Coordinates of all heavy atoms in Angstrom, one line a residue:
M144 N 59.0 -81.1 -16.2 CA 59.0 -80.5 -17.5 C 59.0 -81.4 -18.7 O 59.8 -82.4 -18.7 CB 60.3 -79.6 -17.6 CG 60.3 -78.8 -18.9 SD 61.5 -77.4 -18.9 CE 63.0 -78.2 -18.3
S145 N 58.1 -81.3 -19.5 CA 58.0 -82.3 -20.7 C 59.0 -81.9 -21.8 O 59.3 -80.7 -21.9 CB 56.6 -82.4 -21.2 OG 56.3 -81.3 -22.1
V146 N 59.5 -82.9 -22.5 CA 60.5 -82.6 -23.5 C 59.9 -82.8 -24.9 O 59.1 -83.8 -25.1 CB 61.6 -83.6 -23.3 CG1 62.6 -83.5 -24.4 CG2 62.3 -83.5 -21.9
D147 N 60.1 -81.9 -25.7 CA 59.6 -82.0 -27.1 C 60.5 -82.9 -27.9 O 61.5 -82.5 -28.3 CB 59.5 -80.6 -27.8 CG 59.1 -80.7 -29.2 OD1 58.8 -81.8 -29.7 OD2 59.1 -79.6 -29.8
R148 N 60.1 -84.2 -27.9 CA 61.0 -85.2 -28.5 C 60.9 -85.1 -30.1 O 61.5 -86.1 -30.7 CB 60.7 -86.5 -27.9 CG 60.9 -86.4 -26.5 CD 61.4 -87.8 -25.9 NE 61.7 -87.5 -24.4 CZ 62.5 -88.2 -23.8 NH1 63.0 -89.4 -24.2 NH2 62.8 -88.0 -22.5
S149 N 60.3 -84.2 -30.7 CA 60.3 -84.1 -32.1 C 61.7 -83.3 -32.4 O 62.1 -83.2 -33.5 CB 59.1 -83.4 -32.7 OG 59.0 -82.0 -32.2
R150 N 62.2 -82.6 -31.4 CA 63.4 -81.9 -31.5 C 64.6 -82.9 -31.2 O 64.4 -83.9 -30.5 CB 63.6 -80.8 -30.4 CG 62.4 -79.9 -30.4 CD 62.4 -78.8 -31.5 NE 63.7 -78.1 -31.6 CZ 64.2 -77.6 -32.7 NH1 63.5 -77.8 -33.9 NH2 65.4 -77.0 -32.7
P151 N 65.7 -82.7 -31.9 CA 66.8 -83.7 -31.6 C 67.3 -83.6 -30.2 O 67.1 -82.7 -29.5 CB 67.9 -83.2 -32.6 CG 67.5 -81.9 -33.1 CD 66.1 -81.7 -32.9
P152 N 67.8 -84.7 -29.8 CA 68.3 -84.9 -28.4 C 69.2 -83.8 -27.9 O 69.3 -83.4 -26.7 CB 69.0 -86.2 -28.3 CG 68.4 -87.1 -29.4 CD 68.1 -86.0 -30.5
T153 N 70.0 -83.2 -28.8 CA 70.9 -82.1 -28.4 C 70.1 -81.0 -27.9 O 70.7 -80.1 -27.2 CB 71.8 -81.6 -29.7 OG1 70.8 -81.5 -30.7 CG2 72.8 -82.5 -29.9
D154 N 68.8 -80.8 -28.2 CA 68.0 -79.7 -27.7 C 67.3 -80.1 -26.4 O 66.5 -79.3 -25.8 CB 66.9 -79.3 -28.8 CG 67.6 -78.7 -30.0 OD1 68.7 -78.4 -29.9 OD2 66.8 -78.4 -30.9
W155 N 67.4 -81.3 -25.9 CA 66.7 -81.7 -24.7 C 67.4 -81.2 -23.5 O 68.6 -81.4 -23.4 CB 66.5 -83.2 -24.7 CG 65.8 -83.8 -25.9 CD1 65.2 -83.1 -26.9 CD2 65.7 -85.2 -26.1 NE1 64.6 -84.0 -27.7 CE2 64.9 -85.3 -27.3 CE3 65.9 -86.4 -25.4 CZ2 64.6 -86.5 -27.9 CZ3 65.7 -87.6 -25.9 CH2 64.9 -87.6 -27.2
P156 N 66.7 -80.7 -22.5 CA 67.3 -80.3 -21.2 C 67.8 -81.6 -20.5 O 67.2 -82.7 -20.6 CB 66.2 -79.7 -20.4 CG 64.9 -80.0 -21.1 CD 65.2 -80.4 -22.5
G157 N 68.9 -81.5 -19.8 CA 69.3 -82.6 -19.0 C 70.4 -83.5 -19.6 O 71.0 -84.4 -19.0
L158 N 70.6 -83.2 -21.0 CA 71.6 -84.0 -21.6 C 72.9 -83.1 -22.0 O 73.7 -83.6 -22.9 CB 71.0 -84.5 -23.0 CG 70.0 -85.7 -22.8 CD1 69.4 -86.2 -24.1 CD2 70.7 -86.9 -22.1
E159 N 73.0 -82.0 -21.3 CA 74.1 -81.2 -21.7 C 75.5 -81.8 -21.4 O 76.4 -81.5 -22.1 CB 74.0 -79.8 -20.8 CG 72.8 -78.9 -21.1 CD 71.5 -79.4 -20.4 OE1 71.7 -80.4 -19.7 OE2 70.5 -78.7 -20.5
T160 N 75.5 -82.7 -20.4 CA 76.8 -83.3 -20.2 C 77.0 -84.6 -20.8 O 78.0 -85.3 -20.5 CB 77.0 -83.5 -18.6 OG1 75.9 -84.3 -18.2 CG2 76.8 -82.2 -17.9
A161 N 76.1 -85.0 -21.6 CA 76.2 -86.4 -22.3 C 77.1 -86.5 -23.4 O 77.3 -87.6 -23.8 CB 74.8 -86.8 -22.6
G162 N 77.7 -85.4 -23.8 CA 78.6 -85.5 -24.9 C 78.0 -86.0 -26.2 O 78.5 -86.9 -26.8
L163 N 76.7 -85.5 -26.6 CA 76.1 -86.1 -27.6 C 76.9 -85.9 -28.9 O 77.4 -84.8 -29.2 CB 74.7 -85.4 -27.9 CG 73.7 -85.8 -26.8 CD1 72.4 -85.0 -27.0 CD2 73.4 -87.3 -27.0
T164 N 76.9 -87.0 -29.7 CA 77.7 -87.0 -31.0 C 76.7 -87.5 -32.0 O 76.0 -88.4 -31.9 CB 78.9 -88.0 -30.9 OG1 79.7 -87.5 -29.8 CG2 79.6 -88.0 -32.2
L165 N 76.6 -86.6 -33.1 CA 75.9 -87.0 -34.3 C 76.5 -88.0 -35.2 O 77.7 -87.7 -35.7 CB 75.5 -85.8 -35.1 CG 74.6 -85.8 -36.3 CD1 73.1 -86.2 -35.8 CD2 74.5 -84.6 -37.0
L166 N 76.0 -89.2 -35.3 CA 76.7 -90.2 -36.0 C 76.2 -90.2 -37.5 O 77.0 -90.3 -38.4 CB 76.3 -91.6 -35.4 CG 77.3 -92.7 -35.5 CD1 78.7 -92.5 -35.1 CD2 76.7 -93.9 -34.7
T167 N 74.9 -90.1 -37.7 CA 74.3 -89.7 -39.0 C 73.2 -88.7 -38.8 O 73.1 -88.3 -37.7 CB 73.7 -91.0 -39.7 OG1 72.4 -91.2 -39.0 CG2 74.5 -92.2 -39.5
D168 N 72.6 -88.3 -39.8 CA 71.4 -87.4 -39.7 C 70.4 -87.8 -38.7 O 69.8 -87.0 -38.1 CB 70.8 -87.1 -41.1 CG 71.6 -86.2 -41.9 OD1 72.5 -85.5 -41.4 OD2 71.3 -86.1 -43.2
G169 N 70.3 -89.1 -38.6 CA 69.2 -89.6 -37.7 C 69.7 -90.4 -36.4 O 68.9 -91.0 -35.8
I170 N 71.0 -90.5 -36.3 CA 71.5 -91.2 -35.1 C 72.5 -90.4 -34.3 O 73.5 -89.9 -34.8 CB 72.1 -92.6 -35.6 CG1 71.2 -93.4 -36.4 CG2 72.7 -93.4 -34.4 CD1 71.8 -94.6 -37.1
F171 N 72.1 -90.3 -33.0 CA 73.0 -89.7 -32.0 C 73.4 -90.7 -31.0 O 72.7 -91.7 -30.7 CB 72.2 -88.6 -31.2 CG 72.0 -87.3 -31.9 CD1 70.8 -87.1 -32.5 CD2 72.9 -86.3 -31.7 CE1 70.6 -85.9 -33.1 CE2 72.7 -85.1 -32.3 CZ 71.5 -84.8 -33.0
Y172 N 74.6 -90.5 -30.5 CA 74.8 -91.2 -29.2 C 75.4 -90.2 -28.2 O 76.0 -89.2 -28.5 CB 75.8 -92.4 -29.4 CG 77.3 -92.1 -29.8 CD1 78.2 -91.8 -28.8 CD2 77.7 -92.0 -31.1 CE1 79.5 -91.5 -29.1 CE2 79.0 -91.7 -31.4 CZ 79.8 -91.4 -30.4 OH 81.2 -91.1 -30.7
G173 N 75.3 -90.7 -26.9 CA 75.9 -89.9 -25.8 C 76.2 -90.8 -24.6 O 76.0 -92.1 -24.7
W174 N 76.7 -90.2 -23.6 CA 77.2 -91.0 -22.4 C 76.3 -90.6 -21.2 O 76.4 -89.4 -20.8 CB 78.6 -90.8 -22.2 CG 79.3 -91.1 -23.5 CD1 79.6 -90.2 -24.5 CD2 79.9 -92.4 -23.9 NE1 80.4 -90.9 -25.5 CE2 80.6 -92.1 -25.2 CE3 80.0 -93.6 -23.3 CZ2 81.2 -93.2 -25.8 CZ3 80.7 -94.6 -23.9 CH2 81.2 -94.5 -25.2
L175 N 75.5 -91.4 -20.7 CA 74.8 -91.2 -19.5 C 75.6 -91.5 -18.3 O 76.5 -92.4 -18.2 CB 73.5 -92.0 -19.5 CG 72.6 -91.8 -20.7 CD1 71.3 -92.6 -20.5 CD2 72.2 -90.4 -20.9
E176 N 75.3 -90.8 -17.2 CA 76.0 -91.1 -15.9 C 75.7 -92.5 -15.5 O 74.6 -93.1 -15.7 CB 75.5 -90.2 -14.8 CG 76.2 -88.9 -14.7 CD 75.6 -88.2 -13.5 OE1 75.9 -88.5 -12.3 OE2 74.8 -87.2 -13.8
H177 N 76.6 -93.2 -14.9 CA 76.5 -94.6 -14.4 C 76.4 -95.6 -15.5 O 76.1 -96.8 -15.3 CB 75.4 -94.8 -13.4 CG 75.2 -93.7 -12.5 ND1 76.3 -93.4 -11.5 CD2 74.3 -92.7 -12.2 CE1 75.9 -92.4 -10.8 NE2 74.8 -91.9 -11.1
E178 N 76.7 -95.2 -16.8 CA 76.6 -96.2 -17.8 C 78.0 -96.3 -18.5 O 78.6 -95.2 -18.9 CB 75.6 -95.7 -18.9 CG 74.1 -95.7 -18.5 CD 73.4 -97.0 -18.6 OE1 74.0 -97.9 -19.3 OE2 72.4 -97.1 -18.0
T179 N 78.4 -97.5 -18.6 CA 79.7 -97.7 -19.3 C 79.6 -97.5 -20.8 O 80.5 -97.0 -21.5 CB 80.3 -99.1 -19.0 OG1 80.2 -99.3 -17.5 CG2 81.6 -99.3 -19.5
N180 N 78.5 -98.0 -21.4 CA 78.3 -98.0 -22.8 C 77.4 -96.8 -23.2 O 76.7 -96.3 -22.4 CB 77.6 -99.3 -23.2 CG 78.5 -100.5 -23.2 OD1 79.6 -100.5 -22.7 ND2 78.1 -101.6 -23.8
P181 N 77.6 -96.4 -24.4 CA 76.9 -95.2 -24.9 C 75.4 -95.6 -25.1 O 75.0 -96.7 -25.2 CB 77.5 -95.0 -26.3 CG 78.1 -96.2 -26.7 CD 78.5 -96.9 -25.5
F182 N 74.7 -94.4 -25.0 CA 73.2 -94.6 -25.2 C 72.9 -93.9 -26.6 O 73.5 -92.9 -26.9 CB 72.4 -93.8 -24.1 CG 71.0 -94.1 -23.9 CD1 70.6 -95.1 -23.1 CD2 70.2 -93.4 -24.6 CE1 69.3 -95.5 -23.0 CE2 68.6 -93.7 -24.5 CZ 68.2 -94.7 -23.7
F183 N 72.0 -94.6 -27.3 CA 71.7 -94.0 -28.7 C 70.3 -93.6 -28.7 O 69.4 -94.0 -28.1 CB 71.8 -95.3 -29.7 CG 73.3 -95.5 -30.0 CD1 74.1 -96.2 -29.2 CD2 73.8 -95.1 -31.2 CE1 75.5 -96.4 -29.5 CE2 75.1 -95.4 -31.6 CZ 75.9 -96.1 -30.7
W184 N 70.1 -92.6 -29.6 CA 68.8 -92.1 -30.1 C 68.8 -92.2 -31.6 O 69.7 -91.7 -32.3 CB 68.5 -90.7 -29.6 CG 68.3 -90.5 -28.1 CD1 67.2 -90.6 -27.5 CD2 69.4 -90.3 -27.2 NE1 67.4 -90.4 -26.1 CE2 68.8 -90.2 -25.9 CE3 70.8 -90.2 -27.3 CZ2 69.5 -90.0 -24.8 CZ3 71.5 -90.0 -26.1 CH2 70.9 -89.9 -24.9
H185 N 67.7 -92.7 -32.1 CA 67.6 -92.6 -33.6 C 66.3 -92.0 -33.9 O 65.3 -92.2 -33.2 CB 67.8 -94.0 -34.2 CG 66.7 -95.0 -34.0 ND1 66.5 -95.7 -32.8 CD2 65.7 -95.5 -34.8 CE1 65.5 -96.5 -32.8 NE2 64.9 -96.3 -34.0
W186 N 66.3 -91.4 -35.1 CA 65.0 -90.9 -35.6 C 64.3 -92.1 -36.3 O 64.8 -92.6 -37.4 CB 65.2 -89.8 -36.7 CG 64.0 -89.3 -37.3 CD1 63.5 -89.4 -38.5 CD2 63.1 -88.3 -36.7 NE1 62.4 -88.8 -38.7 CE2 62.0 -88.1 -37.6 CE3 63.0 -87.7 -35.4 CZ2 61.0 -87.4 -37.2 CZ3 61.9 -86.9 -35.1 CH2 60.9 -86.7 -36.0
C187 N 63.3 -92.5 -35.7 CA 62.6 -93.7 -36.1 C 61.5 -93.5 -37.1 O 60.5 -92.8 -36.8 CB 62.0 -94.4 -34.9 SG 61.4 -96.0 -35.2
P188 N 61.6 -94.0 -38.3 CA 60.6 -93.9 -39.3 C 59.3 -94.4 -38.9 O 58.2 -94.0 -39.3 CB 61.2 -94.6 -40.6 CG 62.4 -95.2 -40.1 CD 62.8 -94.7 -38.8
T189 N 59.3 -95.5 -38.1 CA 58.0 -96.1 -37.6 C 57.3 -95.1 -36.7 O 56.1 -94.9 -36.9 CB 58.3 -97.4 -36.8 OG1 59.1 -98.3 -37.6 CG2 57.1 -98.1 -36.4
Y190 N 58.0 -94.6 -35.7 CA 57.3 -93.7 -34.8 C 57.0 -92.4 -35.4 O 56.0 -91.8 -35.2 CB 58.2 -93.5 -33.5 CG 58.2 -94.6 -32.6 CD1 59.1 -95.7 -32.6 CD2 57.1 -94.8 -31.7 CE1 59.1 -96.7 -31.7 CE2 56.9 -95.9 -30.9 CZ 58.0 -96.9 -30.9 OH 57.9 -98.0 -30.1
A191 N 57.9 -91.9 -36.2 CA 57.8 -90.6 -36.8 C 56.5 -90.6 -37.8 O 55.9 -89.6 -38.0 CB 59.0 -90.2 -37.7
G192 N 56.1 -91.7 -38.3 CA 55.0 -91.9 -39.2 C 53.7 -92.1 -38.5 O 52.6 -92.0 -39.1
L193 N 53.7 -92.2 -37.2 CA 52.4 -92.4 -36.5 C 51.6 -91.1 -36.4 O 52.2 -90.0 -36.4 CB 52.7 -92.9 -35.1 CG 53.2 -94.3 -34.9 CD1 53.5 -94.6 -33.4 CD2 52.2 -95.3 -35.5
P194 N 50.3 -91.2 -36.4 CA 49.5 -90.0 -36.1 C 50.0 -89.3 -34.8 O 50.4 -90.1 -33.8 CB 48.1 -90.5 -35.9 CG 48.2 -91.9 -36.5 CD 49.5 -92.4 -36.5
E195 N 49.9 -88.0 -34.7 CA 50.5 -87.3 -33.5 C 50.1 -87.8 -32.2 O 50.9 -88.0 -31.3 CB 50.1 -85.7 -33.7 CG 51.0 -84.8 -32.9 CD 52.4 -84.9 -33.3 OE1 52.7 -84.9 -34.5 OE2 53.3 -85.0 -32.4
K196 N 48.8 -88.1 -32.0 CA 48.4 -88.5 -30.7 C 48.8 -89.9 -30.3 O 48.7 -90.3 -29.2 CB 46.8 -88.5 -30.6 CG 46.1 -89.5 -31.6 CD 44.6 -89.3 -31.4 CE 43.9 -90.1 -32.5 NZ 42.4 -90.0 -32.5
K197 N 49.4 -90.7 -31.2 CA 49.8 -92.0 -30.9 C 51.3 -92.1 -30.7 O 51.8 -93.0 -30.2 CB 49.6 -93.0 -32.0 CG 48.1 -93.4 -32.1 CD 47.9 -94.7 -33.0 CE 46.4 -95.1 -33.0 NZ 46.2 -96.2 -34.0
K198 N 51.9 -90.9 -30.9 CA 53.4 -90.9 -30.7 C 53.7 -90.9 -29.2 O 53.2 -90.1 -28.4 CB 54.0 -89.6 -31.3 CG 54.2 -89.7 -32.7 CD 54.8 -88.5 -33.3 CE 54.7 -88.4 -34.8 NZ 55.1 -87.0 -35.3
V199 N 54.6 -91.7 -28.8 CA 55.0 -91.8 -27.4 C 56.1 -90.8 -27.2 O 56.1 -90.2 -26.1 CB 55.6 -93.2 -27.1 CG1 55.2 -93.6 -25.7 CG2 55.0 -94.3 -28.1
S200 N 56.9 -90.7 -28.1 CA 58.1 -89.8 -27.8 C 58.6 -89.2 -29.0 O 59.8 -89.2 -29.4 CB 59.3 -90.7 -27.2 OG 59.5 -91.8 -28.1
G201 N 57.6 -88.6 -29.8 CA 58.0 -88.0 -31.1 C 58.6 -89.0 -31.9 O 58.3 -90.2 -31.9
G202 N 59.6 -88.6 -32.8 CA 60.2 -89.6 -33.7 C 61.6 -90.1 -33.1 O 62.2 -91.0 -33.7
W203 N 62.1 -89.5 -32.1 CA 63.3 -90.0 -31.5 C 63.2 -91.1 -30.5 O 62.4 -91.0 -29.6 CB 64.1 -88.8 -30.9 CG 64.6 -87.8 -31.9 CD1 63.9 -86.7 -32.3 CD2 65.7 -88.0 -32.7 NE1 64.8 -86.0 -33.2 CE2 65.8 -86.8 -33.5 CE3 66.8 -88.9 -32.8 CZ2 66.8 -86.6 -34.5 CZ3 67.8 -88.6 -33.7 CH2 67.9 -87.5 -34.5
V204 N 63.8 -92.2 -30.7 CA 63.7 -93.4 -29.9 C 65.1 -93.6 -29.3 O 66.0 -93.7 -30.0 CB 63.2 -94.6 -30.7 CG1 63.2 -95.9 -29.8 CG2 61.9 -94.3 -31.3
G205 N 65.1 -93.9 -28.0 CA 66.3 -94.1 -27.3 C 66.5 -95.6 -27.0 O 65.6 -96.3 -26.9
A206 N 67.8 -96.0 -27.0 CA 68.1 -97.4 -26.7 C 69.5 -97.5 -26.2 O 70.5 -96.8 -26.7 CB 68.0 -98.2 -28.0
G207 N 69.6 -98.3 -25.1 CA 71.0 -98.4 -24.5 C 71.8 -99.5 -25.2 O 71.2 -100.2 -26.1
T208 N 73.0 -99.7 -24.9 CA 73.8 -100.7 -25.6 C 74.6 -101.6 -24.5 O 75.6 -102.0 -24.7 CB 74.8 -100.1 -26.5 OG1 75.7 -99.2 -25.8 CG2 74.2 -99.3 -27.6
S209 N 73.9 -101.8 -23.4 CA 74.6 -102.4 -22.3 C 74.9 -103.9 -22.7 O 75.7 -104.5 -22.1 CB 73.8 -102.4 -21.0 OG 72.5 -102.9 -21.3
A210 N 74.2 -104.5 -23.6 CA 74.5 -105.8 -24.0 C 75.6 -105.9 -25.0 O 76.0 -107.0 -25.5 CB 73.2 -106.5 -24.6
H211 N 76.1 -104.7 -25.4 CA 77.2 -104.8 -26.4 C 78.6 -104.6 -25.8 O 78.7 -104.1 -24.7 CB 76.9 -103.6 -27.5 CG 75.8 -103.8 -28.4 ND1 74.5 -103.8 -27.9 CD2 75.8 -104.2 -29.6 CE1 73.7 -104.0 -29.0 NE2 74.4 -104.2 -30.0
T212 N 79.5 -105.0 -26.6 CA 80.9 -104.9 -26.1 C 81.5 -103.6 -26.6 O 81.4 -103.3 -27.8 CB 81.8 -106.1 -26.7 OG1 81.2 -107.2 -26.2 CG2 83.2 -105.9 -26.2
L213 N 81.9 -102.8 -25.7 CA 82.5 -101.4 -25.9 C 84.0 -101.8 -26.4 O 84.9 -101.9 -25.4 CB 82.4 -100.5 -24.8 CG 83.0 -99.1 -25.0 CD1 82.3 -98.3 -26.2 CD2 82.9 -98.3 -23.8
V214 N 84.3 -101.8 -27.6 CA 85.7 -102.2 -28.0 C 86.6 -100.9 -27.9 O 87.7 -101.1 -27.4 CB 85.7 -102.7 -29.5 CG1 87.1 -103.0 -30.0 CG2 84.8 -103.9 -29.7
S215 N 86.0 -99.8 -28.2 CA 86.8 -98.6 -28.1 C 85.9 -97.4 -27.9 O 84.8 -97.4 -28.5 CB 87.6 -98.4 -29.4 OG 88.0 -97.1 -29.6
R216 N 86.2 -96.5 -27.0 CA 85.3 -95.4 -26.8 C 85.7 -94.2 -27.8 O 84.8 -93.5 -28.2 CB 85.5 -94.9 -25.3 CG 84.7 -93.8 -24.9 CD 84.8 -93.4 -23.4 NE 84.2 -92.2 -23.1 CZ 83.2 -92.0 -22.2 NH1 82.9 -93.1 -21.4 NH2 82.7 -90.8 -22.0
E217 N 86.9 -94.1 -28.1 CA 87.3 -93.0 -29.0 C 88.4 -93.5 -30.0 O 89.5 -93.7 -29.5 CB 87.9 -91.8 -28.1 CG 88.3 -90.6 -29.0 CD 87.0 -90.0 -29.7 OE1 85.9 -90.0 -29.2 OE2 87.1 -89.9 -30.9
P218 N 88.1 -93.7 -31.2 CA 86.8 -93.6 -31.8 C 85.8 -94.7 -31.3 O 86.3 -95.8 -31.0 CB 87.1 -93.6 -33.3 CG 88.3 -94.5 -33.4 CD 89.1 -94.2 -32.2
L219 N 84.6 -94.4 -31.4 CA 83.6 -95.4 -30.9 C 83.6 -96.6 -31.8 O 83.5 -96.6 -33.0 CB 82.2 -94.7 -30.9 CG 81.1 -95.6 -30.2 CD1 81.5 -96.0 -28.8 CD2 79.7 -95.0 -30.4
H220 N 83.6 -97.8 -31.1 CA 83.6 -99.1 -31.7 C 82.8 -99.9 -30.8 O 83.2 -100.2 -29.7 CB 85.0 -99.6 -32.0 CG 85.0 -100.9 -32.7 ND1 86.1 -101.6 -33.1 CD2 84.0 -101.8 -33.2 CE1 85.9 -102.7 -33.7 NE2 84.6 -102.8 -33.7
L221 N 81.6 -100.5 -31.3 CA 80.8 -101.4 -30.5 C 80.6 -102.7 -31.4 O 80.5 -102.7 -32.5 CB 79.4 -100.9 -30.3 CG 79.2 -99.7 -29.4 CD1 77.8 -99.1 -29.5 CD2 79.5 -100.1 -27.9
E222 N 80.6 -103.8 -30.7 CA 80.3 -105.1 -31.3 C 79.3 -105.8 -30.4 O 79.3 -105.7 -29.1 CB 81.5 -105.9 -31.4 CG 82.6 -105.4 -32.4 CD 82.1 -105.4 -33.9 OE1 81.2 -106.3 -34.2 OE2 82.8 -104.7 -34.7
P223 N 78.4 -106.6 -31.0 CA 78.1 -106.7 -32.4 C 77.3 -105.5 -33.0 O 77.3 -104.5 -32.3 CB 77.3 -108.0 -32.5 CG 76.6 -108.0 -31.1 CD 77.5 -107.4 -30.1
S224 N 76.7 -105.8 -34.1 CA 76.0 -104.6 -34.8 C 74.8 -104.2 -33.9 O 74.3 -104.9 -33.0 CB 75.5 -105.1 -36.1 OG 74.6 -106.2 -36.0
L225 N 74.3 -103.0 -34.1 CA 73.0 -102.6 -33.5 C 71.9 -102.8 -34.3 O 72.0 -102.5 -35.6 CB 73.1 -101.1 -33.2 CG 74.3 -100.6 -32.3 CD1 74.3 -99.1 -32.2 CD2 74.2 -101.2 -30.9
L226 N 70.8 -103.3 -33.8 CA 69.5 -103.5 -34.6 C 68.4 -103.0 -33.7 O 68.2 -103.5 -32.6 CB 69.4 -105.0 -34.8 CG 68.0 -105.4 -35.4 CD1 67.8 -104.7 -36.8 CD2 68.0 -106.9 -35.5
W227 N 67.7 -102.0 -34.3 CA 66.4 -101.5 -33.6 C 65.2 -102.1 -34.2 O 64.9 -101.9 -35.3 CB 66.5 -100.0 -33.6 CG 67.6 -99.5 -32.7 CD1 67.8 -99.8 -31.4 CD2 68.7 -98.6 -33.2 NE1 69.0 -99.1 -31.0 CE2 69.5 -98.5 -32.1 CE3 69.0 -98.0 -34.4 CZ2 70.7 -97.6 -32.1 CZ3 70.1 -97.2 -34.4 CH2 70.9 -97.0 -33.3
Q228 N 64.5 -102.9 -33.4 CA 63.4 -103.7 -33.9 C 62.3 -102.8 -34.3 O 61.5 -103.2 -35.3 CB 62.9 -104.6 -32.8 CG 63.9 -105.7 -32.3 CD 64.2 -106.8 -33.2 OE1 63.6 -106.9 -34.3 NE2 65.2 -107.6 -32.9
C229 N 62.2 -101.7 -33.7 CA 61.1 -100.8 -34.1 C 61.0 -100.5 -35.6 O 59.9 -100.4 -36.1 CB 61.1 -99.5 -33.2 SG 62.7 -98.8 -33.2
C230 N 62.1 -100.3 -36.2 CA 62.0 -99.9 -37.6 C 63.0 -100.8 -38.5 O 63.1 -100.6 -39.6 CB 62.5 -98.5 -37.8 SG 64.0 -98.1 -37.0
G231 N 63.8 -101.7 -37.8 CA 64.7 -102.5 -38.5 C 66.0 -101.8 -38.9 O 66.8 -102.3 -39.6
T232 N 66.3 -100.6 -38.3 CA 67.5 -99.9 -38.6 C 68.6 -100.8 -38.0 O 68.5 -101.3 -36.9 CB 67.5 -98.6 -37.9 OG1 66.6 -97.7 -38.5 CG2 68.9 -97.9 -38.1
H233 N 69.6 -101.1 -38.8 CA 70.7 -102.1 -38.5 C 72.0 -101.6 -39.0 O 72.1 -101.3 -40.2 CB 70.2 -103.4 -39.1 CG 71.1 -104.6 -38.7 ND1 71.2 -105.7 -39.5 CD2 72.0 -104.7 -37.7 CE1 72.0 -106.6 -38.9 NE2 72.5 -106.0 -37.8
G234 N 72.9 -101.6 -38.1 CA 74.3 -101.2 -38.6 C 75.4 -101.4 -37.5 O 75.1 -101.7 -36.4
F235 N 76.5 -101.3 -38.0 CA 77.8 -101.4 -37.1 C 78.3 -100.0 -36.8 O 78.1 -99.1 -37.5 CB 78.9 -102.2 -37.8 CG 78.5 -103.6 -38.1 CD1 77.9 -103.9 -39.3 CD2 78.8 -104.6 -37.2 CE1 77.6 -105.2 -39.5 CE2 78.6 -105.9 -37.5 CZ 78.0 -106.2 -38.6
V236 N 78.8 -99.8 -35.6 CA 79.5 -98.6 -35.2 C 81.0 -99.0 -35.1 O 81.3 -99.8 -34.1 CB 79.0 -98.0 -33.8 CG1 79.7 -96.7 -33.6 CG2 77.5 -97.8 -34.1
R237 N 81.8 -98.6 -36.0 CA 83.2 -98.9 -36.0 C 84.0 -97.8 -36.5 O 83.6 -97.0 -37.4 CB 83.5 -100.1 -37.0 CG 82.9 -101.4 -36.5 CD 83.0 -102.5 -37.5 NE 82.6 -103.8 -37.1 CZ 82.3 -104.8 -37.8 NH1 82.4 -104.7 -39.2 NH2 81.9 -106.0 -37.4
G238 N 85.0 -97.5 -35.7 CA 85.9 -96.3 -36.1 C 85.2 -95.0 -36.0 O 85.5 -94.1 -36.7
G239 N 84.1 -94.9 -35.2 CA 83.4 -93.7 -34.9 C 82.4 -93.4 -36.1 O 81.9 -92.4 -36.2
E240 N 82.1 -94.5 -36.9 CA 81.2 -94.2 -38.0 C 80.1 -95.3 -38.0 O 80.3 -96.4 -37.5 CB 81.9 -94.4 -39.4 CG 82.9 -93.2 -39.6 CD 83.6 -93.4 -41.0 OE1 83.1 -94.3 -41.8 OE2 84.6 -92.6 -41.2
W241 N 79.0 -94.9 -38.4 CA 77.8 -95.8 -38.7 C 78.0 -96.4 -40.0 O 78.1 -95.8 -41.1 CB 76.5 -95.0 -38.7 CG 75.3 -95.9 -38.9 CD1 74.7 -96.0 -40.1 CD2 74.6 -96.7 -37.9 NE1 73.6 -96.9 -39.9 CE2 73.6 -97.3 -38.6 CE3 74.8 -96.9 -36.6 CZ2 72.7 -98.2 -38.0 CZ3 73.9 -97.8 -35.9 CH2 72.9 -98.4 -36.6
I242 N 78.0 -97.8 -40.0 CA 78.1 -98.6 -41.2 C 76.9 -99.4 -41.3 O 76.7 -100.4 -40.5 CB 79.4 -99.5 -41.2 CG1 80.6 -98.7 -40.9 CG2 79.5 -100.3 -42.4 CD1 81.8 -99.4 -40.4
P243 N 75.9 -99.1 -42.3 CA 74.7 -99.8 -42.4 C 75.0 -101.3 -42.7 O 75.9 -101.6 -43.4 CB 74.1 -99.1 -43.7 CG 74.7 -97.8 -43.7 CD 76.1 -97.9 -43.2
A244 N 74.2 -102.1 -42.1 CA 74.4 -103.6 -42.2 C 73.4 -104.1 -43.2 O 72.4 -103.6 -43.5 CB 74.2 -104.3 -40.9
Ligands
ZN147 ZN1 63.3 -97.3 -34.9

């Protein structure tokens, strides 16, 4: 079954147990099985701006954080900052909040 990735991850089948949390309008995180660190999806302006046929996965892009240190799960705190090369979105997750860098 293909997933309409123009819809937010909360609407995708298979992620019902991931505990998806909306960090900002464009950033979710959730917890995948067998992963200690959270997995992030962001609404990527780079991908969202591509012509429809070139889109790989709609505007939502997923990225793991296995290289990051999980300082605290609740509230979520990761170090160092997260940087997504696709669009240059860069910020810290501290105290359960997204802090733009
Ligand atoms: Zn991006």
Side-chain angles (χ1 to χ4, degrees):
M144 181 162 53
S145 79
V146 176
D147 177 3
R148 301 212 172 198
S149 64
R150 309 283 308 152
T153 42
D154 290 354
W155 301 354
L158 288 175
E159 294 86 354
T160 60
L163 286 174
T164 301
L165 183 65
L166 208 50
T167 75
D168 281 347
I170 302 173
F171 282 91
Y172 68 88
W174 306 87
L175 303 181
E176 272 184 76
H177 314 300
E178 295 274 347
T179 307
N180 282 13
F182 196 89
F183 280 75
W184 291 266
H185 70 283
W186 179 256
C187 184
T189 303
Y190 284 98
L193 290 176
E195 201 59 45
K196 62 182 177 183
K197 286 194 175 174
K198 281 183 192 174
V199 215
S200 56
W203 289 98
V204 176
T208 57
S209 56
H211 287 73
T212 300
L213 181 63
V214 179
S215 162
R216 184 174 168 125
E217 185 60 47
L219 184 61
H220 182 177
L221 288 170
E222 292 292 341
S224 61
L225 299 176
L226 170 62
W227 293 305
Q228 302 287 354
C229 43
C230 54
T232 298
H233 186 199
F235 294 89
V236 183
R237 290 173 176 162
E240 292 182 11
W241 177 263
I242 303 158

